[in-house]
Amino acid sequence: MSAKRHRLDRFISQHSEFNRKDIRLLLAQKRIFLDHQPAKSASQPIDEFTHVQLDDRVLQDNQPLYIMLYKPAGVVTAVKDDEHKTVLDLIDHPNKDQLHHVGRLDLNTSGLLLLTNDGRFSKKLTHPDHHISKRYHVTLANPIYGSYRKTFQQGIYFAYEGITTRPAELEILNDYQAIITLTEGRYHQIKRMFGHFRNQVIELHRHSIGMLELDSELEPGQWRFLKEEEFALLEQEPNTIMEC
Ligand code: URA
C-alpha cells in the first residue's frame, strides 16, 4: 500500500474541474477545507487520510484503520491464499479489503498481529532500523539449557542472509518453555535460533510488540480496533536488551 503525499494544488486539479492556476482564487474564497479547516496554501500536503472538501463536495474521505488481531495457529498471514484461511478472512469490516498485515507470523504461530490500511504506519513498524522488541512464548521439543541465553545474546549467524541476529533475550520458564524477546523479524527467526541447538519449536505465541500486549479479552480469531492510547505503547520498550 502506498503512503503517497500530494500538494493540494495537484490533488485539486486531479479530483475536480479546476486546474492548478485556479487554486489561489479558491483559497482566497475559502472554498477548500482540509480536515474541516480552510486550506491555507497551494503546497499544503495531502495524504490518503486527509479529509478534502471543495464547497459542499467531499473529494476524499478515507478513515485510517488500526486493528489488533489474535491470530490463531493454522491461519496464514496473507490477504489471499488458495489453501488456508487468511488473517483477512477473520475480519468483518466493510473496508477490510483495504487492510494489510504489519509484519508476519508463521502459519503455526499464534498471537498479536496488527492490521492497517495506513502504509506509513506499517512501514515505520517494519523498517529494519526500527528495533522495537517483540515478545514470544515458546514451547520446545527438548529441554532448554541456560547456555542458550549467552548464544542468543551474542547473536547467531544466518548463512543464507549472511547476517548475525541482533541480541535476543531468553527468559527460561521451565525445561521446555521460555519467553524470547527479539528486536528484528527475520524469516522463521525463532525456529532457526532454536534450530541452532537442534531443538524444535513446538508452539510459538506472540504476546507483545513494544509495550502493547495482546488484549487478554480477545479469543483466538477475534479482533478489535487499537485504542488511541495504545499507539504510544508501540514505541515503548518493556525492558532493556542486554548486549554482552
Ligand atoms: N519467529 C518464527 O520462527 N516464527 C514466527 O512466526 C515469528 C518469529
Side-chain angles (χ1 to χ4, degrees), residues 157-163 186-187 192:
Y157 183 67
F158 281 0
Y160 183 76
E161 295 94 330
I163 58 100
R186 305 270 169 199
Y187 179 69
R192 291 162 77 195

Side-chain angles (χ1 to χ4, degrees), residues 10 28 35 38-39 46 52 60 73 83 106 115 122 133 148 192 194 199 201 212 233:
R10 180 152 178 245
D35 292 330
I46 309 288
V52 186
Q60 178 172 270
E83 203 182 331
D106 291 343
L115 298 160
S122 53
S133 63
Y148 287 19
R192 291 162 77 195
F194 284 100
N199 201 345
V201 171
L212 177 70
L233 299 177

